[in-house]
Amino acid sequence: MGWGLIRLYAIAVYAFMFLPVAVVVLLSFNANQFGSFPMTGLSLRWFEALWNNDAVMRAFRTSLVLGLMTAVISTTLGILASLALVRYDVPGKNLITTALIAPILVPEVVLAVALLLFLNWLGIGKSFALLLAGHVIFTLPFVILVVQARLVSIRRDVEEAALSLGASPVQTFFSVTLPLLTPAVAAGALFAFTISFDDITGTLFWKPGGVETVPTQIFSMLRNSISPEINALGTVMILLTVGLPLLGAGLARSLSTKRGR
Amino acid sequence: MQSIFDILGIYWINAYHSVNLYLINGATRMSIERREARQPWILLSPALAAVALLLFVPLMFIVVYSFWLRSAVGADTAGFHLDNWQKALSDPFYRYILLNTLKIAAITTVLCAALGYPAAYFIARSRGNKMILLLLLMLPFWISYIIRTMSWINILGASGAVNTALMSLGIIASPIQMLYNEAAVILGLVHFLLPFMVLNVYVSLEGIDTNLEDAATSLGATRWQSFLQVTLPLSLPGLAAGGLLCFVLGAGTYITPLVLGGPRDAMFANLVFEAIITQLNWPLGSALSLLLLMVLGVLVAIYNRYLGMSQLAKGLG
């Protein structure tokens, strides 16, 4: 197979991955009253409809709050655990790491069932608390993997210098380690937020009746009737989960180059 | 560019590497300095407690629960009854769905490999904008699963892109039904899982010393021969890892069949969802989800046994 053929094949694969998503974005600006093909013109009517749709806005708020809380809790737990794993010679490190990433080794459906039944038995039925617990445990392994990879690259001697110059371990942590850790913290938090914001498999098991997150809202809109607002909602979600990280990366980059001068 | 790539892309690669690194030589990577032995445990305890309380204990709990009996009113009856397991293991409908799920996951995995390998090879060996190509490869991880799944309705639906195009060209008079069948489910799964395959193959291809291929060519092998004899065998660990991920994730899904499949295209996870959420038969749902866990666990164990760590170690060069 020649290189040209491989290139063509790869382009076709990329097209396969992105064309359907591009069509979602395209159709969300469609003026056609059914929101489907053919395109009859550009309009923002579906975004307007979205803005006035109470159920959707409620789902957005739920998803945002849930995602932010998940990010805070998961990142805190993840940073502490990663520090211990990278910085200390913990006995049984392999076993501990396996245990900590176990939530992504178990199929999410099984995790969802186990958590629902157990917490329900403890008296915590389907509720926001259950949702939060589920999202935290599901995002924790990703945070730990991301943060650990970052931590390994932070040089120890900077901290040792601070310690040898008389800083206490706590002072060293807050004035040396934490600033160096910031990219890892941001990365972990962003990761946790995005995964939580996108999750549907576990969420459908855990959410109480009447509460929807954005993905479950899309899901129920799909099942009830294919409403043209779905494409607009999809576009907004893509903007949030792809655009925000890109924007964040751009900001971080411009800040760090300014600081570097 | 570097830092945008950083944020979007490098995590998955880093995560992949760190999993492997820890599997391979985690034990030998020791901190230079030993401090108080208690401190790491204080740092670890919140995360360990969370995993214990929210994963391990619940898993043990549903093992117990699967032997309980459902009662029509009030709480389920505790005890040791084999009824749920008997039903889960002997019901021909459940067995059919289980086999069908494994079949769908297998087809999906093969398709992902066939589509993903050449694409990964192209990225790994291209001289040009590798960053952009990788960034594009990571992008689907950041686009919601439900949106990527439902996007196929716009393509294949009655008023979707394909039908509209065919009708306006006069090839067909009325829309063809392309959605809500098994093929649509497989298509959706391939679309969802392909990035996992490409990423894993890419990482293992990237770890291969290109000098090996050059050496083979200079010794008289054609490019195709050197690919078959050198590159392909060395990249098999990545292919296997990607395949395992595709299979396990594919076999555990219930959303794709609900969105793109018809009423008869249920997969095993749909049975679990049905038992737990619709029928509220939690003891049976426990048994079914444990069955799924065991079937997929056996596959992971087989992978570890035959293709496991030493192969992965080779793949990382």
Side-chain angles (χ1 to χ4, degrees), chain A residues 145-146 148-150, chain B residues 6 9-21 203:
Chain A
L145 289 175
V146 169
Q148 246 185 314
R150 287 274 162 149
Chain B
D6 244 5
I10 209 77
Y11 303 153
W12 278 98
I13 294 177
N14 276 344
Y16 180 90
H17 270 307
S18 57
V19 170
N20 285 317
L21 273 179
V203 170

Side-chain angles (χ1 to χ4, degrees), chain A residues 40-240:
Chain A
T40 50
L42 293 177
S43 108
L44 290 174
R45 63 190 283 192
W46 304 120
F47 292 94
E48 203 186 315
L50 212 57
W51 184 255
N52 294 321
N53 186 330
D54 286 337
V56 169
M57 294 315 281
R58 228 177 306 132
F60 251 107
R61 275 193 294 275
T62 310
S63 274
L64 276 178
V65 172
L66 183 60
L68 287 174
M69 288 178 73
T70 303
V72 169
I73 299 174
S74 215
T75 312
T76 311
L77 296 183
I79 295 264
L80 294 179
S82 308
L83 273 174
L85 288 171
V86 174
R87 288 298 154 91
Y88 294 91
D89 183 16
V90 197
K93 190 181 273 184
N94 277 2
L95 197 67
I96 294 170
T97 314
T98 311
L100 289 177
I101 60 172
I104 48 174
L105 301 178
V106 173
E108 200 182 343
V109 182
V110 181
L111 168 75
V113 170
L115 191 66
L116 168 68
L117 268 51
F118 179 63
L119 288 193
N120 187 72
W121 183 70
L122 287 183
I124 306 168
K126 291 185 181 185
S127 59
F128 190 82
L130 175 63
L131 263 180
L132 185 61
H135 280 216
V136 165
I137 203 64
F138 185 60
T139 52
L140 184 60
F142 293 99
V143 172
I144 288 178
L145 289 175
V146 169
V147 172
Q148 246 185 314
R150 287 274 162 149
L151 272 182
V152 173
S153 66
I154 296 178
R155 288 169 47 178
R156 280 234 61 174
D157 35 11
V158 190
E159 286 165 72
E160 274 157 16
L163 285 170
S164 73
L165 289 170
S168 72
V170 175
Q171 275 178 316
T172 310
F173 179 79
F174 280 104
S175 55
V176 177
T177 316
L178 199 59
L180 286 172
L181 217 62
T182 309
V185 176
L190 194 63
F191 221 57
F193 178 82
T194 316
I195 291 168
S196 159
F197 199 83
D198 278 352
D199 183 76
I200 179 162
T201 303
T203 307
L204 274 184
F205 278 91
W206 299 322
K207 74 180 188 63
V211 172
E212 303 283 355
T213 64
V214 178
T216 65
Q217 176 67 30
I218 295 179
F219 182 71
S220 76
M221 282 161 89
L222 279 171
R223 301 213 83 190
N224 298 334
S225 63
I226 303 207
S227 128
E229 293 165 32
I230 284 184
N231 289 318
L233 188 50
T235 303
V236 173
M237 255 192 108
I238 293 170
L239 268 179
L240 265 177

